Amino acid sequence: MKISRLAAAVLASAALGLTACAPPTAGGGSASTKDETGGTLRVWLFSEVNQDPKSAVVNDAIKDFEAAHSGAKVDVQYIPTDSRAERFKAAFNDPSSAPDVAEFGNTDLANYVAAGGLADVSDVVKGWDEGKDLDPKILKTTEIDGKNYGVPWFVGVRALYYRTDLLQAAGLKAPTTLQEVETTARALRAKNPGTLGIAVGGKSQFSAMPYLWAYGGGIADQQNGKFASQLSSEKSKAGITAYTNLLNDDICPPQTCAEFGGNATVQQFIAGKADMAIGGDFNYKAVAAAPAVKGKFAVIPVPGTTAGSIAPAFAGGNNLGVFKSSTHRTLADDFVKLLAGKKYQQKMFQAMGNLPTFADVQKQVAGDNAYLKPFVDTIAAGTDFVPVTEQWATIDAQGIFTGMYQKVASGKSTVDQAAADATTAMDKVFGSGK
Amino acid sequence: MSILSAVRRDSRRETTIPAPAAGKGTRKRWGADAVGILLAVVVAFPLFWMVLSALKPKTALDAGDSLPFTLQPSFDSFVRVLAVNGFARYFMNSVVVALAVVLVSTLLAFLASVALTRYRFKMRTTLLVTVLVAQMVPVEALTIPLFFLMRQAGQSIPLVGLNQLGSLVVVHVGFAIPFAVWMLRGFVAAVPVEIEEAARLDGASSFRFVRSVLFPLVAPGVVACSVFSFISTWNDFLFAKTFIISAQENQTLPLAILTFFKPDENDWGAIMAGSVIMTIPVLVFFIAVQRKLVSGLAGAVKG
Amino acid sequence: MSSSTVSLRQGAPRPAGRRGPRFGAFEPWFYLAPAFIVLIGLLGYPIFQLVNISLYDYRQAQVSGAAPLEFTGLGNYQQLLSDPQFWAVLGNTVLFAGFCVVITILVGGWLAVLATRLRPWVRTLLFVVSMGAWATPAVTGSAVWLFLFDPTLGLVNKTLVALGLHAFDGYSWTYDKWSAFGLVASEVVWCSFPFVMVTVYAGIQAIPTEVIEAARLDGASMGQIARTIMLPMLRPIMMIVIIQSIIWDFKIFSQIYIMTSGGGVAGQNLVINVYSYQQAFAASLYGLGSALGVIMTVILMAVTLVYLRLIKKDGEAL
C-alpha cells in the first residue's frame, strides 16, 4: 500500500536523523564515481537581456553534441543571475539534483570551489588540443591552488556607450574624465528631459567599481591572509560619491534608477531612454541592433579622473564548469570543450559579442571588428577584480556592496554612514570565514 | 449551508443588521446595494485585468495600451505560454502534486478525526490541542530542516528526494493534515450516534462502519475540506522554489510563471496568460465545493 | 489539560464501554497512527532539527562536510540580537503584518455586515467576485497587482497621468519603503478579506433572528443590539479570524519576494521569512537562518497560546 510505504519512509528518515544529534553534514563534498555515457546532461546557463541569439547558438551546439554522442540528451535551463546563489547552493547541497555543466561568473568561482561543488578540470584543459591557445592570463582566473575549476568562456569589460546624435545636438563632446561624464550627463538630461542623462543603477555594481578604482579606492585589501574592507577610506568614499552623484534627479533619478541592475541600465539605453550607459562588449550586438539607437551611438573606454586616462574596469568573465557530482563526467567534459571551444566561442561572439578567451581568436576578431577597440583598450589599460575569496559570494548575496549605493542614492544614508555600515558588515563576513 | 445558497436565502429568514433608520425603506437599501456593486467591481477588477491583458495582443501591451477592452482579442499569449514554454507540463505537475496531497492528507485526516471525535480516551484533549498547535506552526520556517530531511530521504527513496515531485507531495501532506483534521471533526461528529449503533447491531465492525457508513455520510464535507489542502499546495512557491533544484521537467506553475519576469522587459502577456491558467482550476474547485465550505469553516471555528 | 474534566459539547463519542472487537483500547490509535506518524516526521522532527541547526555554526562548508561542525550554543541568536538589521526586519514584519490584519478584519467585517443588508443578487455578486480574489494564488495575485502598478505600463500610473498628475509618469511604487509595503498590503488584503467576510457573515446568519427581534421589541437601539447581542455572539468567530489572519500575514513570503524583487531597495522591505530564506539559501548561513525560523515560530506559538487561553476562559470545550 502506497501510504504505509510513505509513512515508513518518513519514519525511516526521521529515525536516521534522530540517531545523530548534530545536524546532517553528508553530501556535496564527494565526487561521483559514476560516468554514464547516455542519458540527460543537465546544463545551466545564464539568461540574458537578449536571450534569443544565445539560445540559437546553444541549440546548434546541442545538435552537434547529440549527433556526436548517441544516446545523450542535453537539457539546458537558463537561470536568472539574480537567483544564481540559491540555485548553486542547493545544487551543491544535493548532488543528485545538481546539473552536470554550468556557466558561472568568475566572481563566484572561489566560493563554489570552497563549497566543494566544482570538479577540477585541469586535466581536461591540458589534454585538449585547443586548450593551449587559451589566453594564459584569463586561464589563470579559473585557478585556485594551481588547479583549474572552469574553462573560460568569454571575458567582458564595460565601456561607456553614448548617443552621438544627442551629444551633437547639445553641442557637447564625448567626456574625457569622470567629472565630465557627470556634467555631460546633466546637460544631456536637461536638454532631453524624458531621458536619463546616464543610465546607472543602485544594483549595477560593475559600473560602480570603475569609479571606486579610478579614485584610488578599493573594495578590500588582503593582509596576513585576511581581507579587510577598504570602503571607508577617503579615496573609496570619493569614488562612491562620484558614482552616487549620478543617481540624482538631474541625471538618473533614484526613483527610477536605484533598483536598476546592470542589465536594466543597458536595457534603458537600448530602448532609447538613456543618453549614456556603461555597458559591456557582450551588450554591443544587442545595442547595435536596437532600432532606437542603431547608428546613433559610439563607445569609448570609461575615462579616469584625468583626461586621457582610462578607469580600471572590472575584469568580468564567465566560465563553463563541471559539477563534481556529475554522473556523466566524460559527456560533461566533452560538452564544455564543445561549447567553450573555438568554433562556438566564435559563434557566440557573432551572436552576442562575447569576447573570446583564446588568444588567437580574440586577436582575430579584434582585428576584424573595429568596434571592439574601446574594449580591448580598456583591457590593455589594466583591470581589477573583486576580492578573491569564498566570502565574496556571501557579501554579494547579502547585497552589502550594492546596498551601500542604494542607501546613498535613496537618501537613507550619507556616504560616510553607508560606507561605514558596509565596512562593518563586510568585515563581519570576512572575519567569520575561518 | 453554502455560501451562495445562503446568500440567496429567503429574505424573511435572514439576520439583517438594521440600518440606522431602518424604516425609511428602499432608498436606503439602494444606497447599500450601490456600495455593494461598486465594491464587487473593485474586487473583481484585478481579475478582469488579468484576463483582459492575457487576451490583448503583445504589441498592444508593449505599447502600454491601457484601454479597458480589446478589439483584437488574441490567444497568442496562451499559445506562447503553452506551446513554447511547456506550460502544459508544469500544469500537469501542479495537478499531480495537488491531487496526491488532497487524497493522502484527506484520508489520513479523516481517520484521525474519527478517532478524535467518536472515541473517548486518555490524551484525546492533548492530541486535539496538539493538532491545533500544529496547525499554527509556520511551515515556512521549516524550509531549512525539511530541505535536509528530503535530501536524506531521497538517498533511500529516490521518489521523494529533492528535485522530485514526491518531495513536494510529502511535505504538503504534512502541512495539510492539521487543518483538515480540525475541519473534518465537525462533520464526523455530526453523524448521530444512533446510526453507529444501528450499524453495529447489524454486525458491522468498527472499520466497516467507518468505511461504508460514516465515510459516505461525511463525504461532501470531506470534499469541501480538501479545497484548503488543494489551494495551499497549488499555490506553494517557497517549497517548489527550494526543492526543485535543477529538474526543469518537475517544475510547478508558480515557478514557471516567474520565468517570464525577465530582468527588465517582463513579458506581461505571458505572465497574465500563465496566471489565468493557474487561477482557473482553483476557482473551479472553489465554486464546486463552496456549498460545504461555510459549514466546514463554521465547524472548525466553533471548535 | 486533563481529559477527565472535559465534557463533550457536540458530537457523540462512543461510550467507553463499547469497544471494537478487534483492536480493543487501541482502536482509536489505529485511526490516529497514520496521521500522527506523518505529523511527527514532517512537523515534529523538522522543528527539532530547526532548533538544533540554529545552535550550530552551520554554513556551506559544514553542510558538505568540508569543515567540522561547531556547536555555538546561542551564538547565532546573539549575533542576530546585536544586528540592527534584524531589529529593522522584525519591526517591518510586525508593522506590516499588523497593518494587514487590521485592514483585513475591518474590510472583511464591514463587508459581512454590509452583505446582510444587500439585495440577494447583489450579495451573490459580491460573494462570487470575492471568492475569485480568495482563490487567486499568491503568485498570480502578486503578478497582476505588480502589472497594475508598473511604473511605465501600469494602468494606475497611466490613469493618474491622464488625470493630470504628471508626477506619476514612470513613478515607481516599489522605490519608497512605505509605498512598496502599501502595494504588497493591498494585494494581501484583497485576497484575504473574503475569508473574514464569509466566516463573519456565516456567524451573523447563525444568530437567531428571534433574539434580535426580542431585543428590538424591548426598545433596544441598533447600536445596543450590535454591542450587547451580536458582538458577544460573534466573539469566537472574530477570535479565529483574527488569529488566522495574524498567522497568515506574519509568514508572508511570496508576495514580498515577488513584488519587491526579494526585499526592495537595500533590503528595506525585508520581512522575517524572506530574510531567513536569504540568509540560509543565498548566503548559506543555515544556522542563522534557522535561528530566525525559531524566533518566528516562538512568536506565532505565543499568539496561539493566547488563543488557547481565551478559548479556555470562554469555557469552550475541545
Side-chain angles (χ1 to χ4, degrees):
Chain A
M1 199 171 142
K2 201 180 165 191
I3 300 148
S4 60
R5 215 162 82 195
L6 205 73
V10 172
L11 248 191
S13 42
L16 245 171
L18 278 169
T19 48
C21 202
T25 55
S30 57
S32 168
T33 48
K34 269 196 269 179
D35 186 9
E36 291 160 18
T37 54
T40 304
L41 192 71
R42 291 187 198 280
V43 179
W44 281 357
L45 301 176
F46 290 140
S47 60
E48 307 285 343
V49 176
N50 188 18
Q51 180 64 48
D52 297 342
K54 181 170 184 172
S55 307
V57 174
V58 171
N59 288 342
D60 281 350
I62 292 173
K63 249 181 245 150
D64 271 8
F65 185 79
E66 288 178 348
H69 299 79
S70 62
K73 248 185 68 53
V74 180
D75 172 44
V76 178
Q77 196 174 352
Y78 293 95
I79 62 174
T81 45
D82 296 354
S83 60
R84 67 183 191 284
E86 293 111 274
R87 302 294 288 270
F88 275 87
K89 290 314 158 33
F92 296 152
N93 283 337
D94 185 42
S96 60
S97 309
D100 301 285
V101 173
E103 172 184 2
F104 58 91
N106 51 7
T107 55
D108 288 329
L109 181 86
N111 183 270
Y112 294 172
V113 171
L118 293 177
D120 173 6
V121 292
S122 313
D123 293 339
V124 179
V125 175
K126 277 194 203 97
W128 179 26
D129 49 355
E130 292 182 2
K132 61 178 186 324
D133 293 333
L134 283 166
D135 184 330
K137 259 199 323 219
I138 301 172
L139 186 61
K140 187 90 184 152
T141 63
T142 67
E143 215 177 274
I144 286 187
D145 296 335
K147 288 179 189 157
N148 297 107
Y149 289 94
V151 176
W153 194 21
F154 64 88
V155 288
V157 285
R158 287 162 180 80
L160 185 70
Y161 287 67
Y162 64 91
R163 289 280 296 275
T164 46
D165 56 336
L166 299 180
L167 255 78
Q168 202 170 14
L172 294 164
K173 278 198 293 214
T176 55
T177 63
L178 283 179
Q179 292 87 330
E180 275 182 39
V181 170
E182 187 183 328
T183 51
T184 309
R186 190 170 292 122
L188 283 170
R189 178 161 162 90
K191 203 95 200 269
N192 310 281
T195 62
L196 305 171
I198 179 171
V200 284
K203 285 206 297 202
S204 146
Q205 51 179 331
F206 301 125
S207 45
M209 285 173 190
Y211 273 78
L212 199 60
W213 292 322
Y215 280 87
I219 301 170
D221 269 357
Q222 198 172 14
Q223 286 152 350
N224 309 325
K226 227 174 186 182
F227 278 95
S229 169
Q230 292 299 312
L231 291 174
S232 278
S233 74
E234 289 308 315
K235 286 176 175 174
S236 295
K237 283 194 284 193
I240 297 166
T241 309
Y243 186 75
T244 47
N245 279 347
L246 303 177
L247 286 157
N248 225 315
D249 281 345
D250 56 1
I251 296 178
C252 196
Q255 241 280 329
T256 310
C257 303
E259 292 163 274
F260 282 170
N263 280 343
T265 58
V266 175
Q267 195 62 47
Q268 293 294 319
F269 191 79
I270 286 177
K273 289 186 216 154
D275 311 325
M276 298 195 279
I278 296 176
D281 48 80
F282 41 87
N283 296 127
Y284 191 89
K285 294 274 174 179
V287 176
V293 294
K294 205 172 177 177
K296 293 189 283 195
F297 76 100
V299 187
I300 51 168
V302 177
T305 47
T306 54
S309 66
I310 295 178
F314 164 75
N318 284 6
N319 306 317
L320 289 179
V322 175
F323 275 73
K324 209 187 245 183
S325 53
S326 171
T327 52
H328 307 81
R329 184 62 207 267
T330 311
L331 284 181
D333 290 347
D334 284 357
F335 188 73
V336 168
K337 280 190 277 188
L338 179 76
L339 194 57
K342 289 183 181 176
K343 178 178 168 193
Y344 279 96
Q345 282 208 8
Q346 215 141 18
K347 282 197 175 197
M348 280 299 284
F349 170 76
Q350 274 149 20
M352 306 289 292
N354 291 351
L355 214 48
T357 57
F358 291 101
D360 53 338
V361 183
Q362 196 185 91
K363 212 164 145 194
Q364 176 222 323
V365 300
D368 295 351
N369 298 276
Y371 80 82
L372 283 175
K373 192 172 178 321
F375 300 105
V376 176
D377 288 351
T378 302
I379 294 176
T383 55
D384 210 329
F385 200 60
V386 300
V388 182
T389 157
E390 57 169 299
Q391 277 96 39
W392 179 253
T394 304
I395 290 168
D396 199 24
Q398 291 182 332
I400 294 173
F401 187 70
T402 52
M404 173 179 74
Y405 289 100
Q406 288 188 321
K407 277 188 212 157
V408 177
S410 59
K412 289 191 179 62
S413 298
T414 60
V415 171
D416 285 351
Q417 187 58 43
D421 287 351
T423 302
T424 315
M426 216 179 257
D427 283 343
K428 204 152 115 191
V429 178
F430 286 138
S432 73
K434 296 146 204 165
Chain B
M1 172 172 51
S2 91
I3 300 174
L4 295 184
S5 65
V7 299
R8 278 194 221 101
R9 246 191 320 181
D10 181 351
S11 62
R12 273 170 306 167
R13 281 187 50 226
E14 321 174 340
T15 308
T16 53
I17 295 190
K24 279 216 178 141
T26 50
R27 243 195 28 228
K28 261 269 139 30
R29 196 145 169 181
W30 266 115
D33 284 341
V35 174
I37 292 170
L38 186 74
L39 285 168
V41 169
V42 170
V43 171
F45 190 78
L47 290 174
F48 163 73
W49 199 251
M50 173 171 89
V51 176
L52 177 71
S53 306
L55 290 173
K56 277 184 182 173
K58 190 174 183 339
T59 46
L61 279 180
D62 288 347
D65 167 10
S66 55
L67 298 171
F69 56 85
T70 175
L71 295 174
Q72 305 135 305
S74 119
F75 284 93
D76 283 357
S77 296
F78 287 96
V79 172
R80 200 155 70 246
V81 161
L82 285 170
V84 183
N85 297 288
F87 239 59
R89 169 84 202 220
Y90 307 139
F91 184 85
M92 281 320 291
N93 286 344
S94 275
V95 168
V96 166
V97 171
L99 284 186
V101 169
V102 163
L103 286 178
V104 177
S105 69
T106 312
L107 178 65
L108 299 191
F110 168 69
L111 292 178
S113 66
V114 167
L116 290 173
T117 49
R118 304 199 77 85
Y119 292 86
R120 204 176 206 180
F121 55 98
K122 234 180 165 171
M123 285 180 65
R124 197 188 70 93
T125 318
T126 316
L127 287 179
L128 267 175
V129 173
T130 313
V131 169
L132 181 65
V133 172
Q135 185 201 321
M136 307 292 189
V137 170
V139 295
E140 290 82 357
L142 302 181
T143 324
I144 300 166
L146 282 170
F147 177 85
F148 292 114
L149 179 65
M150 287 301 130
R151 182 183 78 167
Q152 222 163 353
Q155 281 160 10
S156 31
I157 307 157
L159 198 67
V160 298
L162 295 176
N163 239 356
Q164 302 295 324
L165 292 178
S167 62
L168 295 178
V169 174
V170 168
V171 295
H172 282 289
V173 164
F175 301 158
I177 285 179
F179 191 65
V181 171
W182 203 244
M183 268 190 78
L184 279 171
R185 247 165 26 105
F187 290 106
V188 175
V191 174
V193 73
E194 289 77 22
I195 293 182
E196 185 172 356
E197 275 159 3
R200 200 156 296 272
L201 284 178
D202 287 346
S205 71
S206 150
F207 187 65
R208 176 100 191 276
F209 161 73
V210 170
R211 197 188 53 194
S212 325
V213 181
L214 196 55
F215 186 76
L217 279 173
V218 300
V222 169
V223 173
C225 295
S226 63
V227 76
F228 289 98
S229 32
F230 181 85
I231 289 182
S232 65
T233 310
W234 183 263
N235 295 358
D236 167 56
F237 171 66
L238 177 57
F239 288 92
K241 181 172 166 52
T242 315
F243 287 1
I244 307 299
I245 299 166
S246 66
Q248 208 171 357
E249 71 278 11
N250 286 342
Q251 248 174 25
T252 51
L253 281 178
L255 281 164
I257 288 179
L258 221 60
T259 57
F260 294 113
F261 283 92
K262 295 275 170 55
D264 321 292
E265 29 163 11
N266 295 336
D267 185 349
W268 286 114
I271 294 172
M272 293 300 128
S275 297
V276 170
I277 294 172
M278 185 172 167
T279 308
I280 283 175
V282 193
L283 209 55
V284 168
F285 196 178
F286 223 91
I287 288 172
V289 303
Q290 50 84 20
R291 247 165 218 300
K292 281 280 164 186
L293 208 58
V294 171
S295 54
L297 276 176
V301 169
K302 280 178 198 144
Chain C
M1 296 279 159
S2 95
S3 61
S4 57
T5 58
V6 174
S7 70
L8 288 164
R9 206 166 47 96
Q10 61 169 348
R14 293 184 62 200
R18 302 190 49 190
R19 286 173 184 148
R22 271 166 56 204
F23 301 103
F26 295 109
E27 201 174 298
W29 293 102
F30 167 76
Y31 294 119
L32 278 174
F36 273 82
I37 288 171
V38 171
L39 287 188
I40 290 166
L42 291 169
L43 288 176
Y45 173 67
I47 290 176
F48 160 76
Q49 216 31 297
L50 181 75
V51 176
N52 198 4
I53 293 175
S54 77
L55 301 177
Y56 283 83
D57 175 25
Y58 198 54
R59 284 173 291 121
Q60 200 54 50
Q62 283 78 7
V63 173
S64 55
L69 266 176
E70 195 189 330
F71 183 81
T72 54
L74 297 177
N76 285 321
Y77 295 91
Q78 261 163 12
Q79 195 183 333
L80 278 180
L81 298 186
S82 67
D83 183 353
Q85 197 186 4
F86 165 74
W87 292 104
V89 169
L90 189 65
N92 283 348
T93 313
V94 171
L95 277 179
F96 172 70
F99 179 76
C100 288
V101 170
V102 170
I103 302 296
T104 307
I105 300 288
L106 286 181
V107 171
W110 177 60
L111 284 180
V113 173
L114 182 74
T116 63
R117 290 170 47 193
L118 295 175
R119 265 156 229 279
W121 72 267
V122 180
R123 187 163 51 222
T124 307
L125 178 74
L126 183 62
F127 274 64
V128 167
V129 298
S130 302
M131 282 198 325
W134 191 356
T136 304
V139 171
T140 62
S142 304
V144 176
W145 280 78
L146 210 51
F147 182 40
L148 282 169
F149 285 83
D150 188 83
T152 49
L153 299 175
L155 178 69
V156 173
N157 281 3
K158 293 229 165 217
T159 311
L160 289 171
V161 170
L163 290 174
L165 297 163
H166 291 288
F168 286 97
D169 191 11
Y171 181 83
S172 162
W173 292 86
T174 49
Y175 171 67
D176 177 69
K177 176 174 174 176
W178 300 112
S179 89
F181 269 135
L183 174 59
V184 180
S186 314
E187 197 278 339
V188 170
V189 170
W190 175 71
C191 69
S192 51
F193 87 84
F195 164 74
V196 178
M197 178 179 81
V198 167
T199 316
V200 174
Y201 180 78
I204 295 175
Q205 292 298 302
I207 298 174
T209 328
E210 299 76 32
V211 179
I212 293 173
E213 277 308 319
R216 197 175 304 163
L217 287 177
D218 286 348
S221 74
M222 164 62 199
Q224 279 171 322
I225 293 175
R227 206 173 51 245
T228 57
I229 301 177
M230 303 189 76
L231 262 184
M233 293 186 92
L234 286 176
R235 206 179 111 101
I237 284 197
M238 290 311 290
M239 197 112 77
I240 191 119
V241 294
I242 290 171
I243 297 283
Q244 281 291 2
S245 298
I246 291 177
I247 287 176
W248 281 337
D249 294 347
F250 212 86
K251 2 184 253 192
I252 276 174
F253 177 86
S254 315
Q255 285 95 334
I256 291 277
Y257 190 89
I258 294 170
M259 296 177 85
T260 71
S261 46
V265 177
Q268 62 181 7
N269 295 113
L270 284 173
V271 291
I272 199 160
N273 246 331
V274 180
Y275 188 54
S276 162
Y277 178 85
Q278 279 184 352
Q279 293 296 327
F281 291 100
S284 345
L285 301 167
Y286 299 100
L288 207 66
S290 297
L292 283 164
V294 170
I295 290 172
M296 179 165 68
T297 310
V298 167
I299 293 174
L300 289 187
M301 284 297 129
V303 173
T304 308
L305 223 63
V306 170
Y307 173 54
L308 284 173
R309 285 299 286 270
L310 287 174
I311 291 185
K312 229 176 151 185
K313 217 175 86 195
D314 280 4
E316 289 219 26
L318 285 162

